[in-house]
Amino acid sequence: MKEVKKQGGLNAEIQSRIGHQLRAMYDDVVRQGVPDRFAELIRKLDGPDAAAAQIDDPAKTSGRD
């Protein structure tokens, strides 16, 4: 006798709702930008050239709109 396996999963409506919620959460995180302390660490890792660029034009690397 063949054993019939049940296929698990979510229907299309539930997948769509999850997708919308994940996109909304992701968009919110992206809008927050990079915290200043992380931006500073990144500048330090990039080296002296990046630090000089920050002094010349702080708006370019601030990560804020």
Side-chain angles (χ1 to χ4, degrees), residues 39-57:
E40 180 63 29
L41 287 172
I42 292 169
R43 280 191 293 278
K44 287 179 181 179
L45 291 171
D46 284 340
D49 294 336
Q54 171 64 22
I55 292 168
D56 292 342
D57 189 358

Side-chain angles (χ1 to χ4, degrees), residues 19-38:
H20 287 293
Q21 289 177 341
L22 287 172
R23 276 189 289 279
M25 288 173 32
Y26 177 78
D27 289 343
D28 185 45
V29 169
V30 170
R31 271 188 244 112
Q32 290 178 11
V34 178
D36 291 338
R37 68 179 187 266
F38 292 148

Side-chain angles (χ1 to χ4, degrees), residues 6-10:
K6 274 189 171 181
Q7 289 186 351
L10 305 172

